[in-house]
Amino acid sequence: MDPDEKAVYLTFDDGPIPQSTPFILQTLRDFGIKATFFMVGDNVRKYPELYQQIVDDGHQVGNHTHNHISGFRHSLRKYVFNVDKANAYIHSHLFRPPHGWIRHDQYAALTKEKYKMVMWDLVTRDYSKWMTAADIVANVKRYARNGSIITFHDSLKSIEKLRTALPACLQWLKEQGYAFKVFW
């Protein structure tokens, strides 16, 4: 995003799930921050009350496919169908491909029709079994810059580390003077 603006965009991929979404939402409330949640359609189908809480809290929502599928492993038709199936639950014009992997034909079809593609420049790697909460905070401190799109994960793989790392990252970003923006 704009490298001249002292702002970052927080994003959370893969949710919503009961084991992590409530903590993430409460932490964002505690800091007075809005974020963008790129959600898996099947998770929204299973946990509509969590989806509604995200919306009611004033966060932006985005599509992350219905089953977290890879663009490289599926035909154009199947991939677009999966994205549209998710959107029946998510209702968003924003899209982020799982793992950031998408073929050119899929990108063209999705962005031509109705979606705005949102990628990232800072993945915290909070999902990695090799990363600690301190490593996640260090990644944010090392790589955040004006206009950064920072990706955390609303997932079982991330939540134990996020309990420490997310508040520490938000505190540090605020201390550095960053504003927090969402996509529209």
Side-chain angles (χ1 to χ4, degrees):
M1 303 305 287
D2 187 349
D4 296 322
E5 185 178 19
K6 186 97 175 170
V8 295
Y9 296 74
L10 294 182
T11 66
F12 293 87
D13 287 4
D14 301 343
I17 61 169
Q19 296 88 341
S20 60
T21 307
F23 169 79
I24 293 167
L25 289 174
Q26 186 59 54
T27 303
L28 293 171
R29 268 186 233 111
D30 291 346
F31 281 88
I33 293 171
K34 302 297 181 203
T36 304
F37 286 77
F38 287 94
M39 295 182 278
V40 172
D42 197 44
N43 288 344
V44 174
R45 180 191 64 79
K46 289 188 271 189
Y47 309 111
E49 68 286 351
L50 291 175
Y51 166 84
Q52 194 58 53
Q53 188 61 60
I54 291 166
V55 171
D56 289 349
D57 280 7
H59 300 289
Q60 181 59 275
V61 298
N63 187 325
H64 200 47
T65 73
H66 191 71
N67 302 104
H68 203 268
I69 64 171
S70 167
F72 289 152
R73 294 187 181 147
H74 294 85
S75 69
L76 170 63
R77 192 172 134 259
K78 285 183 180 177
Y79 194 76
V80 170
F81 176 81
N82 195 270
V83 172
D84 287 340
K85 184 176 180 181
N87 219 42
Y89 297 98
I90 299 167
H91 312 291
S92 178
H93 68 287
L94 301 175
F95 177 72
R96 173 177 284 166
H99 311 288
W101 301 338
I102 190 168
R103 292 194 328 256
H104 292 289
D105 62 339
Q106 294 162 341
Y107 174 87
L110 291 172
T111 57
K112 178 183 178 188
E113 292 299 314
K114 57 183 160 193
Y115 297 102
K116 176 181 177 182
M117 195 76 52
V118 178
M119 299 302 268
W120 62 83
D121 69 301
L122 197 171
V123 176
T124 61
R125 300 192 62 230
D126 52 1
Y127 53 82
S128 173
K129 65 182 178 179
W130 307 111
M131 300 289 285
T132 66
D135 294 332
I136 294 162
V137 175
N139 276 348
V140 170
K141 288 181 176 182
R142 181 173 182 187
Y143 296 110
R145 61 187 187 272
N146 290 355
S148 279
I149 301 170
I150 304 171
T151 299
F152 292 95
H153 291 80
D154 183 357
S155 72
L156 292 173
K157 292 180 181 178
S158 302
I159 188 56
E160 288 312 312
K161 292 172 264 191
L162 283 185
R163 290 187 193 287
T164 301
L166 183 58
C169 289
L170 298 181
Q171 184 65 42
W172 182 83
L173 289 163
K174 280 196 160 211
E175 288 169 357
Q176 302 309 302
Y178 286 104
F180 296 86
K181 296 189 134 194
V182 294
F183 297 95
W184 298 106

